[in-house]
Amino acid sequence: MTQNESATVTPTAANLLADHELLTAAVRTAGAADVSQAVQSLQQRYPDMERLAAATAADLAMLAGVSDVVARKVRLMLELGARAQARLAVRHGKVVSAGELGATMMRRFAGYAHEEMLVLYLDVKNQVIKQETVSIGGIESSLIDQRVLLRQALVYGAAQILMVHNHPSGDPEPSPADIEVTASVLEASNMVGIALVDHLVIGSTDYVSFREHGYI
């Protein structure tokens, strides 16, 4: 692929490119002096997209052929892609099933080194009204304010809420803290007539649905 060709890749064509080809186009667009060397360094250090997505600009700039400027630009492209994927996949869409949402969230959280809790506020038809991050770094009960969460549901006019969080370890098995937080939110939501429809714990290759496993 030439430099001119890389500048005219359509969304459909981009979907057909292999990871190596996408990375080459990104590095070329970022202005690397030696594209082949930079791509080789990146792929040797980060052989899969999950690990590359988790790398910082400082991490990338340590590699042969990757300047500070190229590192920052590649990092920005990765972040833009991650945010676009998260928003297009769920925000203002419809939650059809735990399986579909679980697959979407595995892509969304791929490469995350920290724990993050999302809440999806839904209408009666499972349409997503709003998606918000309510906790970063852990989900102990002290970090989740059920009153704020449910007040937001009332503000948005949501009839249902759905909790999602990741386990950076890759193991989606719910922890005692996960179960405690879910029970607390379930009790509070029942008191105000807002349904907690599910809580998904996201691992690297699988997820656990609290509803499917009888926790809700």
Side-chain angles (χ1 to χ4, degrees):
M1 180 181 288
T2 66
Q3 184 169 354
N4 287 337
E5 287 172 335
S6 69
T8 58
V9 173
T10 65
T12 300
N15 289 340
L16 301 177
L17 295 178
D19 289 351
H20 173 81
E21 294 172 308
L22 284 171
L23 184 58
T24 299
V27 169
R28 182 180 290 113
T29 301
D34 188 332
V35 174
S36 296
Q37 183 187 38
V39 171
Q40 183 177 8
S41 296
L42 288 165
Q43 291 200 308
Q44 286 179 344
R45 178 65 182 84
Y46 304 104
D48 57 65
M49 282 295 183
E50 289 80 9
R51 277 179 277 188
L52 178 60
T56 66
D59 293 332
L60 302 181
M62 295 174 63
L63 304 176
V66 183
S67 67
D68 288 342
V69 172
V70 170
R72 288 196 298 270
K73 288 183 177 179
V74 170
R75 180 59 255 169
L76 288 171
M77 292 178 196
L78 290 167
E79 181 62 26
L80 179 62
R83 293 189 185 188
Q85 175 64 40
R87 285 159 175 75
L88 288 174
V90 176
R91 197 180 296 273
H92 306 305
K94 183 175 183 178
V95 176
V96 177
S97 68
E100 182 180 278
L101 182 60
T104 295
M105 288 298 174
M106 280 188 279
R107 294 192 297 270
R108 189 240 192 257
F109 284 116
Y112 271 49
H114 64 274
E115 198 163 314
E116 188 170 307
M117 168 72 80
L118 305 179
V119 173
L120 278 61
Y121 297 93
L122 312 174
D123 65 15
V124 293
K125 296 182 179 180
N126 289 339
Q127 295 285 345
V128 180
I129 301 169
K130 188 77 173 180
Q131 174 185 313
E132 288 186 339
T133 300
V134 299
S135 176
I136 295 177
I139 68 157
E140 289 82 0
S141 58
S142 61
L143 297 178
I144 306 294
D145 191 328
Q146 294 90 349
R147 293 170 301 177
V148 173
L149 189 156
L150 294 171
R151 183 162 62 244
Q152 290 297 90
L154 294 172
V155 169
Y156 299 140
Q160 309 175 89
I161 57 175
L162 197 157
M163 301 164 64
V164 183
H165 86 279
N166 66 309
H167 279 178
S169 67
D171 181 1
E173 186 65 26
S175 69
D178 298 339
I179 296 171
E180 179 184 348
V181 167
T182 305
S184 180
V185 173
L186 178 62
E187 181 180 3
S189 64
N190 285 339
M191 292 177 64
V192 296
I194 293 174
L196 174 61
V197 294
D198 209 342
H199 180 181
L200 300 189
V201 184
I202 307 299
S204 56
T205 61
D206 203 0
Y207 73 94
V208 168
S209 160
F210 270 54
R211 180 164 296 281
E212 290 178 350
H213 284 71
Y215 291 112
I216 295 178

